[in-house]
């Protein structure tokens, strides 16, 4: 069980200056799993259709608030899955920019894309232009299909680079601090 109060005290950054990413859904997972912060446990959300899996580890940056009011979503690129509940230090390298329908209105719900420096597969990546050219397109296709499953419209926009990713993180950290006063 994850103590919800302890989770709420996790900082957005590690002592080394990298961002903390809390993993909810492992790469390759065929089920959407969410952390129920009130109960302190993981909750099953939806089963994906046959052949569709999470293309990267999915979670959030603690102590942040995105424009949708939730913690900033993150896709963590590694060579394999990270277990649900893992806290990993990441370097922001890109932004998957998206708009999705909420209450009949299209609103931004971007995903930060990050890499753990110690990843054997992605650890050397520092910039968007170092990623495989189709990487963000693939992440976008996943979210298009996923949102179709839950009858929500989504539009994938032009990706953001590492500077945009760092700015997105800083804005989400500041928004959470402002909210907490």
């Amino acid at each position: 069980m994850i103590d919800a109060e302890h989770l709420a005290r996790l900082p957005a950054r590690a002592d080394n200056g990298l961002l903390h990413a809390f993993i909810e859904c492992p790469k390759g997972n065929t089920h959407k799993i969410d952390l129920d912060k009130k109960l302190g446990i993981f909750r099953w959300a939806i089963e994906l259709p046959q052949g569709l899996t999470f293309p990267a580890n999915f979670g959030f940056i603690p102590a942040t608030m995105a424009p949708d009011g939730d913690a900033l979503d993150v896709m963590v690129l590694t060579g394999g899955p990270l277990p649900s509940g893992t806290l990993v230090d990441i370097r922001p390298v890109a932004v998957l920019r998206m708009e999705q329908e909420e209450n009949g209105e299209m609103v931004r719900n971007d995903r930060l894309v990050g890499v753990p420096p110690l990843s054997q597969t992605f650890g050397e990546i520092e910039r968007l232009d170092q990623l495989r050219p189709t990487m963000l397109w693939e992440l976008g296709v996943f979210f298009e299909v996923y949102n179709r499953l839950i009858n929500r419209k989504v539009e994938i926009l032009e990706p953001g680079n590492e500077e945009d990713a760092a700015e997105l993180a800083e804005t989400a950290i500041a928004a959470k601090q402002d909210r907490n006063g």
Side-chain angles (χ1 to χ4, degrees), residues 65-82:
M65 188 170 73
D68 67 356
D70 292 334
L72 180 60
D73 292 327
V74 64
M75 303 294 292
V76 178
L77 306 178
T78 59
L82 296 172

Side-chain angles (χ1 to χ4, degrees), residues 22-177:
F22 185 90
I23 304 302
E24 292 177 295
C25 262
K27 175 182 180 176
N29 216 32
T30 59
H31 299 268
K32 172 75 165 80
I33 300 168
D34 295 320
L35 177 63
D36 184 321
K37 294 173 184 84
K38 211 178 251 184
L39 297 176
I41 60 173
F42 289 98
R43 182 183 293 272
W44 180 86
I46 190 171
E47 182 176 27
L48 302 178
Q50 197 75 347
L52 184 65
T53 65
F54 274 83
N57 301 287
F58 182 78
F60 60 89
I61 307 295
T64 60
M65 188 170 73
D68 67 356
D70 292 334
L72 180 60
D73 292 327
V74 64
M75 303 294 292
V76 178
L77 306 178
T78 59
L82 296 172
S84 296
T86 299
L87 189 67
V88 59
D89 296 350
I90 63 159
R91 174 176 45 247
V93 297
V95 179
L96 177 62
R97 292 185 172 137
M98 301 173 45
E99 287 185 343
Q100 66 187 39
E101 186 177 37
E102 297 288 336
N103 301 319
E105 193 174 321
M106 295 300 280
V107 296
R108 288 292 286 272
N109 193 6
D110 297 340
R111 271 77 170 145
L112 185 89
V113 179
V115 298
L118 296 180
S119 167
Q120 296 301 306
T121 309
F122 292 96
E124 298 297 318
I125 303 291
E126 295 184 357
R127 300 183 320 273
L128 171 63
D129 64 6
Q130 293 175 303
L131 290 173
R132 174 173 88 247
T134 60
M135 176 67 71
L136 287 209
W137 175 81
E138 292 167 13
L139 296 177
V141 167
F142 169 80
F143 281 107
E144 286 174 335
V145 174
Y146 173 80
N147 279 282
R148 197 175 315 144
L149 282 174
I150 57 175
N151 295 319
R152 181 169 53 197
K153 293 178 187 172
V154 68
E155 184 178 344
I156 306 302
L157 307 172
E158 285 296 313
N161 64 20
E162 62 283 354
E163 292 168 359
D164 299 321
E167 183 179 325
L168 178 64
E170 290 306 317
T171 299
I173 291 168
K176 182 68 172 186
Q177 290 171 344

